[in-house]
Amino acid sequence: MVETASGQPGPGIGNGADRNGRFVQRKFGELLKAHRTKRGATQRQLADLSTVSIRAIRDLESGRAHRPRRDTVRLIADGLGLRGRERADFEAAGCHTAAGDLRLRCADPAPPPTPLNALLGRDEEVAAVHELLAAGSHRLVTVTGLGGVGKSRLAQEVAGGVHEAGGVVVLWSSAREPLLRTGRPADPDELAVLVGDRPALLVLDGHEPDRVRLDDLAVLLRECRGLRVLATAPAPFGLPGERVFPLTPLAVPEPGTDDPAALAAVPSVRLLVREVRQVRPGFTVDRANAADVAALCRRLDGIPAALEAAACWFLVYEPAAVLEHVRTDPFALTADHLPGLRDTLDSAVRGLDAAEVSLLARLTGLDAGWSVVDVAGLTGIPAAAGARFVRRLVQHGLIRPAGPDRTRFRTLDLVNALGLDHRLAV
């Protein structure tokens, strides 16, 4: 019996690890012959199935050839019908690397992107995602939320902490440089070779669920037992075992809060002030501007990217003027730095049916916020159905918590700016 790098029994055909956890490669010729025999194929039959010459197969099995071409290994794997982990181990055995962990032949793992600034107001969220990934019961964690809420920045913080702690390979895949994107010929088995059984974290940042090959992702999770996946997406992937982590906007000041000392402790205010100081050094919240700063954070719903966009205008405007522009048209003010904000919100609202939009508009009028119980009371629908509706609104980023207990919610002011009542009239 072969042992894996984790010390657990592994497949009967393949590579394994010694008692010290070092990766041990089986001779490729022996492995090729074992798979061919298991399949019940002659060398001639395998040559026909793989389109590789019978002489090449004979030379590999006899040991006369030791360094097969990568394309040859893949053609033989196709002929043998190998999939998943068996294929990954087979390709690793045919690797040209002479020493070291042969599963690293595909690529050199790069560290996650280095953040440009410190992460504010997300200590609890970072700790929670770390805990989910470390617990082992949730191997796929998807951070969902509105565009600009900080999903990628949170993933950077989590991945950076894992990378710095050591002992875990961190692989980063952005939507611009995907590993598992539909329409792209990348082979998931190659990634399985890279990961093997070692502890690894794969970050899929900004991948649209409908543009990810979910079957390949499921195979990776099944075949690579030490793999954890952290994804950021506008909506859940919908895979079995997926743990959805909705990322809500930063906390905003409560209405009526205009004390500078109290505002200094509110995460959205802290972020706005930090960004304003990039264009107006020395800016502080004082008695004269505290109410405007607090209202600005509320109007922009504590969304980090929206606050950063508004901060740029402090170069030419006072806080009261910036607030007035936001009240008039928040999407025009943020267009230069967050051009897709209106479309993102509009797309999320379009995902609701007419009855759901009507309900959301009615809930918006509750100034003190509303709860799942309020949803059931307004509509008469069962509490469970109301809870599912509210959960979906949170996952898509259309509402945010209205208090520290996180059981009451408010519709985003930016959603209101889209004109829910107008949509109902159309």
Side-chain angles (χ1 to χ4, degrees), residues 112 125-126 128-134 138-144 150-162 169-174 200-207 217 221 227-233 237 242-245:
E125 290 89 341
V126 170
V129 174
H130 265 297
E131 185 175 346
L132 285 173
L133 293 169
H138 301 291
R139 296 181 55 211
L140 170 59
V141 177
T142 304
V143 180
T144 65
K151 301 184 294 294
S152 296
R153 183 63 185 85
L154 179 71
Q156 286 180 353
E157 196 75 9
V158 172
V162 172
V169 174
V170 178
L171 303 171
W172 186 279
S173 171
S174 69
L201 173 65
L202 170 61
V203 182
L204 301 176
D205 180 40
H207 292 255
L217 181 56
L221 287 167
L227 177 65
R228 303 289 184 270
V229 177
L230 174 61
T232 68
F237 288 159
E242 177 183 22
R243 176 61 182 267
V244 180
F245 187 90

Side-chain angles (χ1 to χ4, degrees), residues 222-390:
R222 183 170 64 250
E223 300 294 338
C224 302
R225 286 170 282 187
L227 177 65
R228 303 289 184 270
V229 177
L230 174 61
T232 68
F237 288 159
L239 284 175
E242 177 183 22
R243 176 61 182 267
V244 180
F245 187 90
L247 186 63
T248 57
L250 294 173
V252 299
E254 289 296 320
T257 304
D258 57 5
D259 176 55
L263 292 176
V266 180
S268 58
V269 175
R270 291 172 57 203
L271 177 65
L272 178 64
V273 170
R274 184 187 71 182
E275 296 302 313
V276 169
R277 286 174 177 169
Q278 301 298 314
V279 298
R280 187 186 286 193
F283 175 83
T284 59
V285 179
D286 54 29
R287 289 289 180 184
N289 62 28
D292 293 329
V293 168
L296 183 59
C297 290
R298 286 193 297 271
R299 284 283 181 170
L300 294 176
D301 295 303
I303 297 173
L307 294 171
E308 292 168 4
C312 298
W313 292 103
F314 279 67
L315 180 65
V316 295
Y317 289 127
E318 291 298 325
V322 177
L323 175 61
E324 185 59 32
H325 280 290
V326 168
R327 284 172 172 162
T328 302
D329 188 350
F331 304 112
L333 188 92
T334 59
D336 289 346
H337 293 80
L338 197 57
L341 180 58
R342 182 192 290 272
D343 291 341
T344 298
L345 285 165
D346 194 64
S347 176
V349 173
R350 283 201 307 269
L352 305 177
D353 60 34
E356 291 173 329
V357 174
S358 176
L359 175 56
L360 187 59
R362 294 171 66 187
L363 294 170
T364 300
L366 303 178
D367 294 335
W370 45 269
S371 67
V372 172
V373 175
D374 295 323
V375 173
L378 283 171
T379 62
I381 63 176
R388 283 193 292 271
F389 171 64
V390 174

Side-chain angles (χ1 to χ4, degrees), residues 33-41 46 49 78-82:
K33 184 175 182 179
H35 276 299
R36 180 178 60 76
T37 302
K38 179 182 177 182
R39 183 180 173 85
L46 179 56
L49 290 168
D78 290 341
L80 290 168
L82 300 181

Side-chain angles (χ1 to χ4, degrees), residues 27-34 36 41-48 50-68 72 76 80 90:
K27 290 182 179 179
F28 181 71
E30 295 177 2
L31 187 60
L32 168 57
K33 184 175 182 179
R36 180 178 60 76
T42 65
Q43 291 179 336
R44 170 64 66 184
Q45 289 171 330
L46 179 56
D48 292 339
S50 64
T51 69
V52 173
S53 71
I54 187 172
R55 178 176 178 178
I57 292 174
R58 286 173 179 167
D59 288 348
L60 287 169
E61 288 191 2
S62 67
R64 287 193 294 271
H66 301 284
R67 295 171 61 83
T72 299
I76 294 176
L80 290 168
F90 185 79

Side-chain angles (χ1 to χ4, degrees), residues 254-255 367-370 400-411:
E254 289 296 320
D367 294 335
W370 45 269
R400 59 180 171 83
D405 61 357
R406 304 181 74 85
T407 60
R408 300 188 68 79
F409 304 91
R410 286 194 182 97
T411 308

